[in-house]
Amino acid sequence: MRLTVTGLVVRAARRTHLTVPLTRLANPPTGQLVREISTAAAPKDESTADVAFPAQSVSSVHEVDPRKTAGGSRAGGDTPAVDPAATRFKEELKGKNEPNKIIHGHGQSGVLIQSKAYVFDQTSNLSPSILGCIDRQLYANPNHPICITRRLIESVFPAPTFKNHVEADPVVTAHDNFDVLGFPQDHPGRSRTDTYYVDSHHVLRTHTSAHQHKAFQSMVDRPETGYTICADVFRRDSIDRSHFPVFHQMEGAKLWKADYPAGKTHLRYPAHKNRQQQIEQDIRSLPRHDLEILHAPIYDNLTNPVQIQHDIQDVRLMVSHLRRSLELLVHRVFSAARAAGVEGGSSDVNDRLKVRWVEAYFPFTSPSYELEVFWQGDWLELLGCGIVKQSILSNAGLRNHIGWAWGLGIERLAMILFGIPDIRLFWSEDPRFLNQFKEGTITKYEPFSKHPSCYKDVAFWIDAAPAAATPLSTSHAGSSPPGAAAAAGGDATKASPTEVQPAAFHENDVMEIVRDVAGRLAEDVKLVDEFVHPSTGRKSLCYRINYRSLERTLTNDEVNEVHQRVLHKMADLSTIELR
Ligand code: PHE
C-alpha cells in the first residue's frame, strides 16, 4: 500500500485502464473522445453522471488529439473563439443565478460557479454530486476540524513574513493547474478519468499549486516574502475511508531576493552574499525542536538535481530552512495530537517523534522531498516540498529570487489530530459531529454511532484487449518519473491523455456513479473478483459496495433501492455489460 503525499491517496497497484470498444458514450477515460452531436432535445434527467453533453444526443465518437482538448498546452493568453450562442447561454446562466447546478437549455448545458458562467463542451465531466460540494468552505468555519487544522498550520507560517490566503473559487485554467508548473503533456493527472473538467480550458483545481504562479506574481510588489494558500481541491478517485473527491490542501512558499544593482556586475557578488547571509540568519531565528530525524540527505542526482542556475551553498541553506520549518510544523501538529490523547507513534508520550526525509519528484521543484513521520507503527507520508524551479519564479517576474515551496493534504493531518476515522465525517452536518469541535482546540473525536454495513455486489463484463492490464495488476503509463502522479492527482499506473488506446473501462467511472447515486452512503467500493472467460476471453469484474451511513441505520429496502439505481446507471456505461 502506498500513500501519496498530499491527497490522502492510498493507491495500491490496482489502478489501470482496460481497453474496450470505441462506442463508449459516457465518461471517456482518456480525454481522447470527442462526440459529434446532434441538436436533439435535452433529456429530463439532470442527475446524469456524465454531463459532457447532457442536453444533446450523441451520434458518433471519433478520436482527436487530446492535447488540443483536455488540459492541453494552450498558453494563458490564447483565448477560445467566441461563440455567440454560448455567450447568450452564459448570460442566461447568470440571469438564472442558480449556482453549482447544471442547467440545460437551447441544446447546451452549463453551470454557474462563483458567479462565473461556464458552457459545457466535449471535455466537461462535472457531476451533480461534485458540484454539491462546492462552496461548503469547511476551511472557513472556525469550529470545523479542517479550519482548526488550517489555523494551526498557519501559526507556523505567520504574518508578516507570510501572507495567509484562502482561494474560494475552485475553477482554474488547465494552464495554471498543469502547464505553468511544467507538467508533461502525458501526465496522468491531466486525464478526464482523474480530473474534473469544467470545459476544455478550465478544471476544478487538483492542487493548490494551481495558484502558485499568480501568488508569486503578486509578490513582486508586496512586502511579504512568503505565503500559505488553503483551498478545496478535486480529484476523481476511488471510494474508501480516506478518499473523498473533494479534500483540502495547503501550500506554502518562502523566497529570498538578491538586490543586484542594475548594470554593476562587480556588485553582484556582495548582493548574492547578502542574500546568503539573510537565509542563514532566518535559519538561526527558527525555534528548535526535539524531533528525531532519521534520514535527511540533500539528494543531487539525475532525477532530482540541484538546478543549474543555483549555487549549491544557497540550496543547502534553503533546504535546511525548508526542513526546519516543516519539522516545526510536524512538531506542533503531532504534539497537539498527543496532548489531546490521540494514540501516537509510541505508547510513551515522552518518546521523541521520529521523522525522515525521502526523495520525491514534482515537476515544479528540484530537488524535491517528502516528509514522513512515524505514526501508529508506520511511516506516514505527510507532505511534499522542494526548491522552486527558477523558471517558475522568472516567469512570475521574480528573476532575482530563490526559494522553497511545500504542499500538504489537510484531511490526512486532521484525521490524525482529531482521531477522525472516516473522511466522509468532515462533510457531515450532524450536530453530534460538528458540536464536538471548538475553535483553537484539538479534541479527540468521540464516535457517536456505528451503524451496520450493507454489502451489495455489482458484476460485469469488460472486453479485455491484449494490452489491457487489470485493476489488480500494474503497468506504468506516461513518461513521468516515479511519484510524479502524486503532484496533481492522477495515477501513473493509469491511462494518460495522450494514450492512443480506444475508449476503455476505467474504475473511476464506477466510483463516480456510486458517488452520484449513493453520495456519502457509500463507505467503500472494492474489487473483489475478476476472471477471464476461458472460451470468449472476456473479462469479468465484481465490485463490492459497502453502504453504511455515518448518521443512521439504513433499511434493507432503502439500500436495495439505491443499489438498483446504481445498477441502472451502470447499465448505461458502454464500456461494460452487466452480468
Ligand atoms: N502540489 C503538490 C501535490 O499536490 C504538492 C507540492 C506543493 C509539492 C509545493 C511541492 C511543492 O502533491
Side-chain angles (χ1 to χ4, degrees):
M1 191 156 76
R2 177 159 171 81
L3 306 175
T4 67
V5 179
T6 48
L8 275 167
V9 187
V10 188
R11 282 179 180 138
R14 45 183 275 274
R15 305 302 241 52
T16 185
H17 156 253
L18 310 170
T19 313
V20 293
L22 254 182
T23 49
R24 169 197 170 79
L25 302 182
N27 275 354
T30 60
Q32 294 162 355
L33 304 178
V34 164
R35 297 150 201 192
E36 283 173 2
I37 50 174
S38 74
T39 47
K44 299 259 165 352
D45 178 15
E46 295 216 341
S47 63
T48 328
D50 181 88
V51 295
F53 284 111
Q56 292 143 334
S57 73
V58 180
S59 58
S60 68
V61 180
H62 65 89
E63 291 193 39
V64 296
D65 180 352
R67 281 162 293 194
K68 295 195 182 116
T69 57
S73 55
R74 168 183 294 282
D78 178 10
T79 40
V82 183
D83 164 7
T87 311
R88 271 197 305 280
F89 188 52
K90 276 190 184 173
E91 286 313 311
E92 199 175 314
L93 290 172
K94 285 186 193 152
K96 277 210 162 105
N97 196 19
E98 293 184 55
N100 311 325
K101 194 164 172 266
I102 295 165
I103 308 281
H104 310 291
H106 316 296
Q108 309 198 72
S109 308
V111 67
L112 192 70
I113 302 176
Q114 290 272 323
S115 307
K116 288 190 207 124
Y118 301 90
V119 177
F120 293 150
D121 61 21
Q122 72 275 10
T123 313
S124 311
N125 63 353
L126 298 184
S127 61
S129 70
I130 201 73
L131 287 166
C133 296
I134 290 180
D135 287 348
R136 283 282 301 275
Q137 299 191 2
L138 302 180
Y139 55 77
N141 170 357
N143 297 319
H144 195 281
I146 294 292
C147 185
I148 299 170
T149 309
R150 165 195 149 205
R151 295 261 189 239
L152 191 62
I153 297 168
E154 284 174 352
S155 74
V156 185
F157 300 96
T161 305
F162 293 86
K163 179 169 171 12
N164 302 124
H165 311 245
V166 298
E167 290 282 352
D169 188 346
V171 181
V172 299
T173 59
H175 182 73
D176 281 343
N177 200 79
F178 299 116
D179 301 313
V180 118
L181 295 163
F183 279 82
Q185 285 303 322
D186 64 348
H187 190 277
R190 292 183 188 257
S191 161
R192 286 176 84 249
T193 52
D194 291 76
T195 294
Y196 291 100
Y197 279 86
V198 181
D199 60 29
S200 310
H201 307 294
H202 296 91
V203 299
L204 296 182
R205 65 185 152 223
T206 64
H207 58 162
T208 40
S209 305
H211 300 285
Q212 203 179 87
H213 177 67
K214 294 209 168 86
F216 283 146
Q217 275 181 322
S218 76
M219 284 167 76
V220 170
D221 33 46
R222 292 194 61 87
E224 295 93 358
T225 53
Y227 68 73
T228 65
I229 299 174
C230 174
D232 41 1
V233 300
F234 301 76
R235 298 180 187 180
R236 296 181 88 217
D237 220 326
S238 46
I239 299 180
D240 60 43
R241 280 157 171 251
S242 58
H243 286 79
F244 203 71
V246 193
F247 58 98
H248 296 80
Q249 277 194 337
M250 267 183 92
E251 161 138 347
K254 161 87 182 126
L255 304 180
W256 289 270
K257 183 182 179 196
D259 286 312
Y260 295 128
K264 302 192 180 139
T265 29
H266 64 289
L267 291 179
R268 283 182 75 84
Y269 180 74
H272 178 194
K273 276 286 148 206
N274 278 347
R275 182 171 69 186
Q276 248 182 26
Q277 279 160 10
Q278 184 62 50
I279 308 176
E280 274 164 355
Q281 193 179 318
D282 287 348
I283 295 172
R284 279 195 299 275
S285 66
L286 288 173
R288 305 218 154 262
H289 62 69
D290 65 353
L291 297 187
E292 195 175 332
I293 300 160
L294 294 185
H295 191 62
I298 282 268
Y299 298 109
D300 178 12
N301 53 40
L302 272 183
T303 51
N304 205 11
V306 165
Q307 295 166 55
I308 193 132
Q309 303 94 324
H310 286 165
D311 171 322
I312 181 76
Q313 181 58 9
D314 287 354
V315 173
R316 277 202 193 101
L317 291 171
M318 284 190 289
V319 168
S320 99
H321 188 273
L322 169 67
R323 286 180 171 173
R324 277 278 291 286
S325 307
L326 291 171
E327 287 156 7
L328 281 165
L329 168 72
V330 169
H331 186 253
R332 189 157 305 175
V333 167
F334 285 82
S335 311
R338 279 180 168 180
V342 178
E343 284 283 301
S346 146
S347 50
D348 183 350
V349 188
N350 298 317
D351 257 13
R352 285 162 72 201
L353 266 171
K354 295 183 189 60
V355 294
R356 68 180 183 196
W357 288 98
V358 200
E359 187 174 6
Y361 170 85
F362 301 101
F364 38 93
T365 52
S366 191
S368 305
Y369 310 99
E370 281 168 7
L371 178 55
E372 297 186 345
V373 60
F374 197 71
W375 187 252
Q376 296 182 337
D378 239 327
W379 285 104
L380 175 76
E381 285 176 24
L382 216 55
L383 54 84
C385 63
I387 302 301
V388 180
K389 286 258 176 92
Q390 208 52 36
S391 53
I392 292 181
L393 292 175
S394 298
N395 287 342
L398 300 169
R399 301 190 121 267
N400 301 336
H401 290 68
I402 52 176
W404 53 243
W406 54 262
L408 60 79
I410 298 187
E411 273 81 349
R412 178 177 288 182
L413 272 180
M415 285 171 95
I416 292 169
L417 261 181
F418 296 87
I420 294 175
D422 189 314
I423 194 166
R424 292 176 296 162
L425 279 163
F426 291 109
W427 297 86
S428 173
E429 291 175 283
D430 191 319
R432 288 172 298 173
F433 175 75
L434 291 173
N435 291 344
Q436 293 195 25
F437 309 104
K438 216 174 152 337
E439 182 168 5
T441 337
I442 309 296
T443 29
K444 191 169 174 222
Y445 165 69
E446 290 298 337
F448 53 85
S449 61
K450 183 78 180 168
H451 299 286
S453 283
C454 183
Y455 294 97
K456 300 272 171 200
D457 289 355
V458 50
F460 50 87
W461 296 106
I462 57 166
D463 285 324
T470 80
L472 292 177
S473 54
T474 328
S475 70
H476 243 276
S479 62
S480 309
D491 187 323
T493 62
K494 294 191 304 193
S496 78
T498 49
E499 199 166 8
V500 287
Q501 290 190 60
F505 164 74
H506 195 292
E507 182 172 280
N508 277 359
D509 296 342
V510 175
M511 303 296 168
E512 193 74 357
I513 288 178
V514 175
R515 286 218 189 271
D516 245 12
V517 176
R520 289 191 288 118
L521 296 185
E523 182 165 294
D524 55 64
V525 179
K526 287 195 186 103
L527 181 70
V528 287
D529 188 36
E530 62 172 326
F531 73 90
V532 177
H533 192 283
S535 50
T536 62
R538 289 180 92 195
K539 177 166 280 193
S540 163
L541 300 176
C542 178
Y543 283 87
R544 181 157 296 161
I545 306 171
N546 171 12
Y547 295 99
R548 188 211 303 256
S549 164
L550 291 164
E551 283 120 11
R552 62 203 169 81
T553 299
L554 301 172
T555 66
N556 227 340
D557 286 354
E558 189 179 0
V559 174
N560 280 336
E561 191 271 324
V562 175
H563 191 63
Q564 279 310 315
R565 280 194 285 132
V566 168
L567 295 180
H568 192 75
K569 276 208 153 185
M570 290 212 25
D572 285 346
L573 280 180
S574 62
T575 51
I576 66 163
E577 189 191 316
L578 286 182
R579 297 185 56 205

